[in-house]
């Protein structure tokens, strides 16, 4: 294959790790990033300056930056005192560029030129959005929780997430990239507070459903407490399907989170076992993940007539996301 176009969706450290893997084999890389974050430095800048939260975007830019880039290291520098305490330099640069240029996408591209990035980073939406979740509670109807930080820390089981407003428009570049992709990767990380907020944008969810590319969900390596406590691999997949998304291949590490392959197939998805974790099984290894994702994409091209797209399988209430040391870095 001479032209490998890959789109990765998600947020936080999990998406950044996926991008480090994808850049090893893709000739065109697009990251589609959640902008629902309301905590840490990102949340402060969002509230104080009315700019989209820049933290997840920053992590993606750094992941795609030129090797050895001093600017990439500087972007990750976090101040430890004074009025800037807790802010990452890259967050401040993105916020400043957004105010100067008057456009968040232009700010991302300008920062990308500074870091000499390979690929593009696009926000899932340029609309100001709030994450909302339905969670279990004593009442039959459960209760709703608003705000990414609040959702991430609920003790009850999360049943569904959505964005406010529910009709937030997708970034047009993100929709076009998914339509033109050879592979779409649903990145690991905080599922309910990173990946599903991207798929909650209707046009992005529809683009994933209709793309000619194979859609690969990379499973997390363990639970994220309390967000995904008690969930196994099939529960992670079921969460994505129950939110109306499409998955063709479910990539998981057999030495980590329990995965019943029969249950995965029962959901209409092909399970793919591969050792993609680092030796301590805390995070994904970008080199191993690159090999697994590359092999999946090349196999799908060689056997285009034999690999079918999946349809969402039977649904049941509830499901969640996971961790693997791949938490948000705001």
């Amino acid at each position: 294959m001479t032209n490998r176009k890959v789109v990765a969706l998600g947020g936080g450290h999990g998406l950044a790790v996926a991008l480090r893997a994808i850049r090893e084999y893709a000739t065109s890389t697009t990251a589609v990033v959640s902008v629902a974050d309301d905590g840490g430095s990102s949340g402060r800048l969002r509230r104080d300056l009315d700019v989209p939260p820049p933290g997840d975007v920053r992590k993606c830019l750094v992941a795609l930056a030129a090797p050895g880039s001093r600017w990439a290291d500087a972007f990750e520098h976090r101040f430890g005192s004074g009025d800037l305490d807790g802010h990452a330099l890259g967050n401040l640069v993105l916020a400043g560029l957004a105010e100067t240029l008057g456009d968040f996408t232009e700010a991302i591209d300008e920062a990308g030129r500074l870091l000499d990035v390979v690929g593009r980073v696009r926000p899932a939406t340029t609309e100001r959005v709030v994450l909302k979740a339905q969670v279990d509670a004593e009442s039959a109807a459960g209760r709703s929780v608003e705000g990414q930080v609040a959702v991430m820390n609920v003790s009850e089981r999360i049943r569904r997430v959505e964005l406010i407003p529910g009709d937030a428009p997708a970034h047009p570049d993100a929709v076009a990239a998914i339509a033109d992709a050879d592979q779409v990767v649903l990145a690991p990380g905080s599922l309910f507070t990173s990946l599903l907020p991207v798929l909650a944008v209707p046009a992005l969810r529809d683009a994933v459903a209709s793309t000619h590319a194979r859609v690969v969900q990379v499973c997390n390596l363990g639970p994220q407490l309390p967000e995904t406590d008690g969930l196994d691999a099939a529960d992670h997949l079921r969460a994505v399907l129950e939110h109306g998304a499409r998955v063709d291949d479910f990539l998981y590490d057999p030495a980590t989170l329990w995965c019943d392959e029969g249950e995965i197939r029962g959901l209409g998805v092909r399970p793919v076992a591969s050792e993609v974790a680092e030796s301590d099984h805390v995070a994904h290894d970008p080199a191993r993940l690159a090999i697994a994702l590359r092999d999946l994409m090349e196999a799908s091209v060689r056997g285009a007539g034999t690999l079918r797209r999946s349809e969402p399988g039977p649904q049941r209430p509830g499901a969640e996301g996971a961790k693997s040391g791949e938490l948000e870095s705001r």
Side-chain angles (χ1 to χ4, degrees), residues 22-23 36 70 86 97 102 113 121-122 124 135 152 175 180 188 195 217 242 285 323 328:
I22 292 166
R23 66 177 294 166
R70 291 187 176 183
L97 285 170
R113 283 188 283 271
V121 178
R122 290 292 180 262
V135 302
M152 184 181 295
V175 174
D180 195 40
L195 177 60
Q217 181 180 348
E242 289 180 350
D285 181 281
K323 173 187 173 180
E328 306 305 311

Side-chain angles (χ1 to χ4, degrees), residues 52-257:
D56 286 1
V57 168
R58 181 197 85 244
K59 296 294 291 185
C60 291
L61 289 170
V62 170
L64 295 173
S69 168
R70 291 187 176 183
W71 272 112
D73 292 339
F75 262 48
E76 290 292 76
H77 173 73
R78 199 172 290 272
F79 296 95
S81 62
D83 292 341
L84 297 181
D85 184 28
H87 280 302
L89 176 61
N91 290 357
L92 298 175
V93 171
L94 284 165
L97 285 170
E99 286 200 341
T100 302
L101 301 174
D103 184 271
F104 191 55
T105 301
E106 287 188 25
I108 294 171
D109 288 344
E110 191 60 37
R113 283 188 283 271
L114 186 65
L115 273 63
D116 195 19
V117 303
V118 177
R120 294 185 304 171
V121 178
R122 290 292 180 262
T125 177
T126 55
E127 183 101 357
R128 185 182 178 92
V129 294
V130 175
L131 184 65
K132 178 180 178 180
Q134 291 297 128
V135 302
D136 283 343
E138 293 181 0
S139 65
R143 68 184 181 95
S144 62
V145 177
E146 291 187 10
Q148 186 187 42
V149 172
V151 172
M152 184 181 295
N153 289 295
V154 295
S155 57
E156 302 100 328
R157 182 156 176 172
I158 302 171
R159 294 300 180 182
R160 187 165 188 86
V161 297
E162 60 188 62
L163 295 178
I164 303 172
D167 60 350
H171 195 292
D173 290 349
V175 174
I178 293 170
D180 195 40
D182 296 301
Q183 183 183 63
V184 174
V185 176
L186 307 184
S190 300
L191 182 61
F192 278 117
T193 50
S194 288
L195 177 60
L196 288 176
V198 176
L199 295 171
V201 179
L204 293 178
R205 184 173 59 244
D206 293 345
V208 171
S210 60
T211 181
H212 72 278
R214 295 285 291 185
V215 181
V216 183
Q217 181 180 348
V218 180
C219 185
N220 292 327
L221 304 176
Q224 177 176 328
L225 304 178
E227 186 176 325
T228 58
D229 187 22
L231 301 185
D232 63 16
D235 290 324
H236 289 68
L237 171 61
R238 194 175 287 107
V240 172
L241 299 180
E242 289 180 350
H243 281 77
R246 177 184 131 212
V247 179
D248 300 313
D249 298 316
F250 186 76
L251 180 63
Y252 73 98
D253 190 309
T256 59
L257 199 65

Side-chain angles (χ1 to χ4, degrees), residues 253-296:
D253 190 309
T256 59
L257 199 65
W258 165 249
C259 182
D260 183 333
E261 290 200 347
E263 196 170 358
I264 301 298
R265 293 190 187 95
L267 293 169
V269 178
R270 184 177 70 160
V272 180
S274 182
E275 295 182 358
V276 292
E278 294 179 346
S279 58
D280 58 6
H281 295 153
V282 172
H284 286 85
D285 181 281
R288 293 177 176 178
L289 185 58
I291 293 171
L293 290 173
R294 180 202 64 198
D295 289 350
L296 277 174

